[in-house]
Amino acid sequence: MAGVFIKPNSTGYADALVCEAKGLESLREVLRDQGISCLRVPEVYSVSESELKVTAVDSCSASPTTLKMFGEGLARMHKARQPQYGWGWNNYIGLSPQPNRWSANWGEFFVRDRLGYQVSIIREPSVKAAFEDCLSTYQESLVDWLNEHCTHASLLHGDLWCGNVLFDAEDPWLIDPAVYCGDREADLAMTEMFGGFGSAFYAAYDRLYPRSEVYVQKRDIYNLYHYLNHYNLFGSDYLDGCRRGFSLLKQAVTGA
């Protein structure tokens, strides 16, 4: 057996590691079913409320080759069409609960279960009221706009920033997922939130599955979810990002 990494549960949620293990297995399954060998996911050896045992990754800096493999593997994973949007159980994104359900309507799912949920748990009354008002005003237009620009459901990693991708000497590895099915460009948006993965990754992805003409607008809307989550977790350093996201959301759906 390969080396084992033991992750303790430091989240405060009893089922957090169980949900993470399910997410890892879901990613492994779609990669296996699609015959994708250039992108890997740790094997789950055991999981309990207190600890998760998975394949240890001897991580190092990414090379142009492993970044290219990552882009190709993610594009092929995203190409695999899923039957619905959402997910069959609630899980977590970082230290936050992530409510899920199955839906045939991507825009409605994202607005209600991603943006709407995060806005609903904001503790500062004035901020919450302002964001609720904006979301209420533009939600119907946003639902229609997102549905217009999403062709099918893909299995998403869900929290695809640079800290959740490891590279060893030969392969890229996905870790710490917050899986659900949605617009593939939600995953790509998250890759850019904290610096991105470099030109080799994006060029390889676009060769196999080019991003849409409205990707830049969608990127700002999809990353609003993550800015709201970070604001709820870490406070005011992320508030300007939330406000900017709502402003760009308005521009995208109104053309203003």
Side-chain angles (χ1 to χ4, degrees):
M1 185 171 71
V4 178
F5 174 74
I6 302 175
K7 179 177 181 177
N9 189 352
S10 57
T11 68
Y13 298 103
D15 64 339
L17 295 179
V18 173
C19 290
E20 181 176 335
K22 288 181 177 180
L24 290 170
E25 293 292 359
S26 296
L27 291 170
R28 280 172 58 85
E29 181 179 356
V30 75
L31 294 179
R32 182 183 66 245
D33 290 349
Q34 298 301 313
I36 301 169
S37 59
C38 58
L39 180 58
R40 302 187 67 184
V41 174
E43 181 178 350
V44 175
Y45 299 127
S46 67
V47 63
S48 67
E49 291 186 0
S50 60
E51 66 178 27
L52 171 65
K53 294 183 180 180
V54 297
T55 310
V57 179
D58 187 13
S59 61
C60 61
S61 297
S63 68
T65 297
T66 53
L67 284 169
K68 176 176 177 287
M69 292 168 65
F70 177 32
E72 291 175 348
L74 188 68
R76 291 177 63 191
M77 186 180 91
H78 285 165
K79 275 190 168 185
R81 292 175 175 257
Q82 304 300 320
Q84 294 188 79
Y85 301 101
W87 202 237
W89 62 83
N90 297 334
N91 53 16
Y92 299 88
I93 181 163
L95 296 174
S96 295
Q98 181 169 258
N100 290 305
R101 62 189 172 92
W102 288 118
S103 175
N105 187 313
W106 164 241
E108 183 183 88
F109 175 83
F110 184 78
V111 171
R112 187 185 105 172
D113 298 272
R114 294 296 178 259
L115 299 183
Y117 172 74
Q118 287 292 334
V119 169
S120 75
I121 62 174
I122 291 174
R123 292 181 291 274
E124 174 56 46
S126 62
V127 173
K128 182 177 182 179
F131 291 169
E132 283 180 333
D133 180 67
C134 186
L135 199 57
S136 175
T137 300
Y138 297 106
Q139 64 180 352
E140 290 186 11
S141 297
L142 179 58
V143 166
D144 291 342
W145 190 86
L146 291 175
N147 286 336
E148 179 184 355
H149 296 292
C150 178
T151 57
H152 67 88
S154 301
L155 181 65
L156 307 183
H157 175 281
D159 193 12
L160 198 58
W161 69 291
C162 58
N164 287 341
V165 184
L166 300 179
F167 299 87
D168 64 18
E170 297 180 346
D171 300 295
W173 296 74
L174 299 178
I175 64 168
D176 295 351
V179 298
Y180 66 99
C181 296
D183 183 351
R184 60 168 180 129
E185 291 185 325
D187 257 357
L188 291 170
M190 183 56 168
T191 68
E192 295 198 69
M193 188 167 169
F194 297 114
F197 287 99
S199 59
F201 163 74
Y202 295 102
Y205 186 99
D206 286 337
R207 276 195 297 271
L208 286 180
Y209 201 179
R211 284 169 284 179
S212 71
E213 294 181 355
V214 294
Y215 167 71
V216 171
Q217 295 98 310
K218 286 202 286 183
R219 179 189 63 196
D220 297 323
I221 293 170
Y222 291 149
N223 281 345
L224 174 57
Y225 171 53
H226 301 294
Y227 274 108
L228 288 167
N229 182 41
H230 280 69
Y231 171 64
N232 281 321
L233 287 173
F234 307 118
S236 60
D237 286 349
Y238 292 93
L239 182 55
D240 284 346
C242 296
R243 288 172 171 155
R244 178 176 179 271
F246 274 108
S247 177
L248 293 170
L249 180 158
K250 176 184 174 181
Q251 291 177 28
V253 299
T254 66

